[in-house]
Amino acid sequence: KVLASGGRDSDIVLWDLVAETGLFRLKGHKNEVTSLVFVPEHDSLISCSKDACIRVWNLQLQHCTQVVTLHRGEIWSMDLSLDGKCLVTGSLDEQLLCFRVKSRDEMEAEEEGSKRSELLAQSGTLVRRNRSRIQQVQLDRMTPSTNMVPSPSPNASPKSRYFDVLRTGKVFELYRVRTAKETIKKAKRRLKRKREEQGSGSWGRVGKQQQQRAWKARCWNQPKPV
């Protein structure tokens, strides 16, 4: 059994719980380490820090394999779903970032194609209305059969993933991550609405031009004073 710890010295230490000794250190962060999660399928560790970086570590090689710098402020919390497929991070800025954790087969296929494979792939960004500091992010800890979280939408899929955010002021926020099917449907609806707005705008301009022409015609046909 292995334990990972990190703190203000910016180092990550791996511990052997049986022998009660330190195994090795992982160095790379430039500021305090705030959260750590293991990815057992890949024998990897994901860390985040106040240096606004997310790092992926290969525990066998004891080496950093990926650095994500999408946040604009200190990262205070992150969490990995029970199935190990979704990672959510929260920081000092207003963004919540969602990442898809690639499977082992997917990464092997990318490496065969002579492409450097990275474990995390960004799947979405959620902009919060409030910019107060996030204290904790936690994904749902319930299996689909025992999911007791009420669905905010009647069209929500039973496979929907929820996560909660605790921010300063003891304020609790609940979010739902859309499935791929729901995301595509939402994008199509947004595109349709945009086309309709552009169409109504163009017709509005045509109507205004026609009114101007009619006014000029009336002014031209009026009798001139002698």
Side-chain angles (χ1 to χ4, degrees), residues 49-53 70-76 90-95 131:
S49 167
K50 288 185 178 180
D51 62 5
C53 291
L70 297 176
H71 277 292
R72 298 190 298 271
E74 300 175 352
I75 305 175
W76 280 88
S91 72
L92 196 61
D93 60 22
E94 72 279 8
Q95 294 185 112
R131 294 195 61 176

Side-chain angles (χ1 to χ4, degrees), residues 12 47 52 162:
I12 301 169
S47 63
Y162 295 86

Side-chain angles (χ1 to χ4, degrees), residues 12-124:
I12 301 169
V13 183
L14 275 293
W15 303 85
D16 187 334
L17 294 181
V18 178
E20 297 182 355
T21 57
L23 297 174
F24 53 86
R25 287 177 178 266
L26 301 173
K27 295 178 178 287
H29 284 295
K30 305 300 182 183
N31 207 330
E32 180 180 344
V33 177
T34 54
S35 186
L36 299 166
V37 291
F38 283 102
V39 187
E41 181 186 358
H42 300 275
D43 194 18
S44 298
L45 178 74
I46 303 175
S47 63
C48 64
S49 167
K50 288 185 178 180
D51 62 5
C53 291
I54 303 167
R55 288 181 176 267
V56 180
W57 307 86
N58 186 313
L59 296 181
Q60 290 184 349
L61 302 176
Q62 302 178 24
H63 180 69
C64 179
T65 58
Q66 182 181 359
V67 181
V68 181
T69 57
L70 297 176
H71 277 292
R72 298 190 298 271
E74 300 175 352
I75 305 175
W76 280 88
S77 181
M78 67 177 174
D79 197 21
L80 185 68
S81 60
L82 285 176
D83 58 9
K85 296 181 179 179
C86 179
L87 179 79
V88 178
T89 61
S91 72
L92 196 61
D93 60 22
E94 72 279 8
Q95 294 185 112
L96 287 167
L97 299 183
C98 296
F99 297 91
R100 180 174 60 85
V101 181
K102 298 178 183 177
S103 65
R104 184 179 293 274
D105 294 338
E106 186 177 358
M107 294 189 68
E108 289 177 354
E110 290 180 354
E111 289 173 356
E112 288 178 0
S114 67
K115 178 182 178 182
R116 183 174 177 271
S117 182
E118 295 181 333
L119 182 63
L120 299 179
Q122 188 184 6
S123 58

Side-chain angles (χ1 to χ4, degrees), residues 165-195:
V165 174
L166 179 65
R167 59 183 176 87
T168 53
K170 297 181 180 180
V171 179
F172 173 83
E173 300 173 353
L174 180 65
Y175 297 90
R176 183 174 69 88
V177 181
R178 293 191 183 99
T179 61
K181 187 176 180 179
E182 290 174 335
T183 303
I184 295 172
K185 186 176 180 180
K186 181 74 174 180
K188 288 182 178 179
R189 192 181 303 150
R190 189 177 299 167
L191 181 61
K192 182 180 179 182
R193 190 182 303 119
K194 186 176 181 180
R195 288 175 177 172

